[in-house]
Amino acid sequence: MRVSFCQGLLTGAIVLNLLILYYVSRAQQQMMEKRRDPGRGSRKAALPASGLGGGMGGLVGVGGGMVGPGGVGGEGNSRGPRVTVLLREFEDFENYVGDVARSFLHQRPELPFLAVSDTLPYPPLSLPDGARLLVLSPSPEQPPQAHRPEFHVQTEFVLLVPDGVELEQGRAVERLIRELEGEGGGPVRLVAAPVLARSAVQCLHLRVSLREWTATYTPAASGSSGSVCTALQGDAVVLIRSEDLFNLSVPLGRPLLPSLFIQTSLHGWKVKLLESPCFSASHRPLFSSAHNQWKADSHLKEATSRLMRNFGLKRLLLADGKEQWHGCGKETARCFGTVRDDTPEYLYLDRWTPPCCLRALRETTKYVINILESSGVRYWLEGGSLLGAARHQDIIPWDYDVDLGIYLEDVPNCDYLKNLDSGSLVDANGYVWERAVEGDFYRVQYSEANHLHVDLWPFYPRNGVMTKDTWMEHKQDVEFPEHFLQPLVPMPFAGVTAYGPNNHRRGVAGTFGVFMWPHQKDKTILATTQNILIAIRDWVASGYPLGITVLKVAKMHGSIKTPWREVG
């Protein structure tokens, strides 16, 4: 049989495709094997020692020279070490890093030991042979990998140890590895062992809400085979897979354990706290003088504030019921800048109003309401604040100010308001009272530095309708019948009892066109025909002609754009 040129070419193409398919499948199989053994894959991917230059930064050996990722603590057996011991947190002015390294290397000389510091410690550390120092701060003559810890860890696991800890039994490390491997691919991605002669380790549940800028710690119950939780409090030795650690956004942030558990809880990972093995600590207390303890506490406070700022957390609710605030206050600017298009910048981050800002708004609201009530100024919740009171009995979680309506004729009753024809006034409590530059209304700021504020809108009655002289481009900024305020009724709002319209549900439904009932917080109810008819009835009862009333109500529900004051 004679084979034509085209047939031969087709046969060759088929054979070539089969060869390509074979090698592609081989490559995929090798990749799957690497994923099953992340430790082996990371060792193959590590840079050689020649890839690191000299200089101040990077990896420093005991003699001060530069050492590559595999330069110290190499293969102790045919398989090589499975875990790197890493000490992240210590103070330059007093530490026991050298003692910790000697303790571990005495029991397990094959284990790599890595001390990690932000800057080159002074005075210099005294490290034994087999221990290394990694400086994280970059140096201009160094390649980027010289300061990145993932390039200097070639083992499958990382053992995170605190300063002053001792390893008395080498088998303790294997016990932790077995416990972590026994969890398989489940949610437990870390195991921990307590450090004796230190503060007791407590297992906690940690809930991090980035939207609310808040981290909440609560105690966790202990189990018979060890406690499983999402955070730890106290001194502990923690084992984690290298792949998991370096997949975190900030693997070695400080303070180490809070940084670690905030990130792992967001991944849905858990930590298992074992009752044994236990690690000892011969240095107790860790610092020899009260002055050094004070310095360490100050550094811890600064590091915590810096970490919370970087993670965007403003409020910590601790397990003992205490609170820590890391946001704005009376002496600082608010957490967000000038608002554009009625949309504060945090909404673009898919976050709500920072809790420190809400706290300042609540304090200002309470203060202003007390002043108005003691001065005989009639007021009521307006706009979004009325909606927040109806929905949440509080400020709407993403709102950035509070609105109160007041009777214009009552302004002379308040000493702070009647003298604001020009300029502003700072009262004895640091609140700033001023006439707003945007229009004919008043504003009370939290402080001169912090411009979170309560707006006071002067209304006056005209033909049974409450109106005013300054109107904003808000759909809820509308006139309304005066009988809504006769009488005013108390409403819980922002931790106090404020006053609102006597039928706030009808007022909110007519003003916003939508309403969220308190028992249906996850549903938005559109204004119904019944709401529209009720609004028309109220306007007609106030003396408006039916035609104008229909136009006003239509404008209220967004179907006609004509300003109400022009219609009237």
Side-chain angles (χ1 to χ4, degrees):
M1 179 180 178
R2 186 176 180 179
V3 178
S4 67
F5 173 77
C6 292
Q7 289 174 329
L9 186 62
L10 180 60
T11 302
I14 293 174
V15 172
L16 180 61
N17 284 333
L18 291 174
L19 288 174
I20 293 174
L21 181 62
Y22 170 74
Y23 283 109
V24 169
S25 63
R26 283 286 302 274
Q28 290 178 339
Q29 184 177 3
Q30 291 175 358
M31 291 177 63
M32 293 297 295
E33 290 176 354
K34 288 182 180 180
R35 290 178 180 176
R36 294 192 193 100
D37 190 355
R40 182 173 60 190
S42 62
R43 287 193 291 273
K44 290 181 180 179
L47 291 180
S50 60
L52 302 177
M56 173 182 172
L59 202 60
V60 184
V62 293
M66 300 304 297
V67 183
V72 179
E75 305 296 321
N77 50 55
S78 59
R79 187 178 180 183
R82 302 186 65 192
V83 59
T84 295
V85 182
L86 193 150
L87 199 162
R88 174 65 176 104
E89 290 195 281
F90 58 90
E91 296 291 348
D92 292 1
F93 54 83
E94 184 176 6
N95 62 74
Y96 302 94
V97 177
D99 293 345
V100 176
R102 280 183 280 272
S103 170
F104 276 84
L105 294 175
H106 175 72
Q107 295 288 341
R108 300 293 302 273
E110 81 283 1
L111 294 183
F113 186 96
L114 189 63
V116 180
S117 177
D118 293 318
T119 58
L120 190 67
Y122 180 81
L125 297 178
S126 176
L127 296 177
D129 292 338
R132 299 173 290 159
L133 170 66
L134 173 63
V135 178
L136 297 179
S137 59
S139 184
E141 76 278 10
Q142 291 288 319
Q145 62 268 25
H147 312 277
R148 292 172 57 182
E150 62 267 30
F151 286 94
H152 302 278
V153 174
Q154 306 174 59
T155 55
E156 183 180 355
F157 300 96
V158 175
L159 187 69
L160 304 170
V161 300
D163 191 13
V165 73
E166 290 183 347
L167 178 64
E168 295 181 340
Q169 297 181 351
R171 295 189 302 272
V173 178
E174 274 67 32
R175 168 72 189 281
L176 293 175
I177 292 176
R178 288 196 302 271
E179 286 287 346
L180 185 54
E181 289 181 325
E183 295 295 333
V188 174
R189 307 292 279 270
L190 309 91
V191 295
V195 175
L196 300 179
R198 290 279 183 87
S199 59
V201 183
Q202 185 179 8
C203 216
L204 304 174
H205 286 310
L206 171 60
R207 175 185 171 271
V208 179
S209 174
L210 295 179
R211 171 171 284 182
E212 299 175 279
W213 312 75
T214 300
T216 304
Y217 295 88
T218 54
S222 300
S224 57
S225 59
S227 302
V228 175
C229 50
T230 50
L232 300 176
Q233 179 179 329
D235 287 318
V237 171
V238 178
L239 182 75
I240 183 174
R241 287 184 174 86
S242 303
E243 182 181 24
D244 287 343
L245 177 63
F246 296 118
N247 273 332
L248 299 177
S249 177
V250 186
L252 297 177
R254 295 188 65 188
L256 180 60
L257 292 189
S259 170
L260 182 68
F261 292 126
I262 286 172
Q263 296 175 86
T264 56
S265 66
L266 289 170
H267 282 74
W269 300 351
K270 297 181 182 296
V271 57
K272 185 175 184 180
L273 178 61
L274 307 177
E275 297 179 358
S276 64
C278 296
F279 291 78
S280 61
S282 59
H283 302 287
R284 183 184 182 186
L286 192 59
F287 301 101
S288 58
S289 68
H291 178 69
N292 281 356
Q293 182 66 60
W294 171 81
K295 288 175 63 177
D297 292 341
S298 298
H299 289 174
L300 176 62
K301 184 177 180 180
E302 293 172 1
T304 301
S305 296
R306 185 165 52 250
L307 178 72
M308 297 304 120
R309 183 169 60 251
N310 292 338
F311 282 178
L313 294 174
K314 308 286 188 182
R315 184 189 187 197
L316 300 183
L317 297 174
L318 305 180
D320 59 3
K322 296 180 180 179
E323 291 181 315
Q324 287 185 7
W325 293 89
H326 299 279
C328 65
K330 211 169 180 66
E331 304 302 323
T332 65
R334 66 185 184 184
C335 296
F336 55 95
T338 302
V339 177
R340 309 289 185 182
D341 299 324
D342 298 320
T343 305
E345 58 193 60
Y346 51 80
L347 289 181
Y348 291 103
L349 301 173
D350 195 27
R351 294 193 175 199
W352 289 348
T353 309
C356 47
C357 297
L358 289 175
R359 178 180 64 167
L361 283 174
R362 294 186 186 105
E363 291 179 9
T364 307
T365 301
K366 180 179 180 180
Y367 182 77
V368 171
I369 285 177
N370 285 337
I371 295 292
L372 296 178
E373 291 181 350
S374 62
S375 302
V377 176
R378 292 166 291 176
Y379 73 91
W380 60 92
L381 295 169
E382 261 290 319
S385 299
L386 178 60
L387 181 62
R391 286 181 175 177
H392 313 284
Q393 293 78 53
D394 201 351
I395 301 167
I396 295 175
W398 49 87
D399 208 351
Y400 54 90
D401 64 1
V402 170
D403 294 305
L404 298 178
I406 59 174
Y407 270 90
L408 178 62
E409 61 189 77
D410 292 344
V411 167
N413 297 340
C414 178
D415 292 336
Y416 294 121
L417 296 178
K418 69 181 181 181
N419 297 319
L420 290 180
D421 290 336
S422 62
S424 61
L425 161 61
V426 181
D427 67 19
N429 294 297
Y431 293 90
V432 180
W433 298 70
E434 63 182 8
R435 183 180 290 273
V437 297
E438 299 93 333
D440 190 18
F441 62 98
Y442 302 99
R443 177 166 289 162
V444 185
Q445 295 181 167
Y446 188 44
S447 69
E448 291 184 275
N450 193 321
H451 294 173
L452 291 161
H453 57 267
V454 174
D455 286 336
L456 304 176
W457 300 90
F459 281 80
Y460 55 90
R462 185 176 63 187
N463 298 324
V465 175
M466 297 301 294
T467 188
K468 57 181 179 174
D469 294 330
T470 295
W471 298 92
M472 310 301 287
E473 296 299 323
H474 300 155
K475 185 172 67 173
Q476 66 268 26
D477 193 23
V478 295
E479 297 172 327
F480 57 90
E482 185 181 12
H483 69 76
F484 277 17
L485 306 179
Q486 298 173 345
L488 292 166
V489 296
M491 299 179 65
F493 178 72
V496 299
T497 299
Y499 283 99
N502 51 52
N503 194 333
H504 62 270
R505 291 193 175 189
R506 184 184 305 170
V508 170
T511 299
F512 285 88
V514 296
F515 188 77
M516 184 182 295
W517 302 108
H519 63 282
Q520 293 175 308
K521 292 183 179 180
D522 297 326
K523 297 179 181 180
T524 301
I525 304 175
L526 296 178
T528 62
T529 303
Q530 180 182 6
N531 290 331
I532 295 175
L533 293 175
I534 291 174
I536 292 174
R537 183 197 66 187
D538 291 335
W539 281 102
V540 171
S542 300
Y544 271 82
L546 180 60
I548 294 179
T549 297
V550 171
L551 288 175
K552 287 181 177 290
V553 175
K555 165 64 170 60
M556 187 184 302
H557 290 273
S559 58
I560 293 180
K561 301 302 182 183
T562 304
W564 286 31
R565 52 191 178 279
E566 296 178 5
V567 172

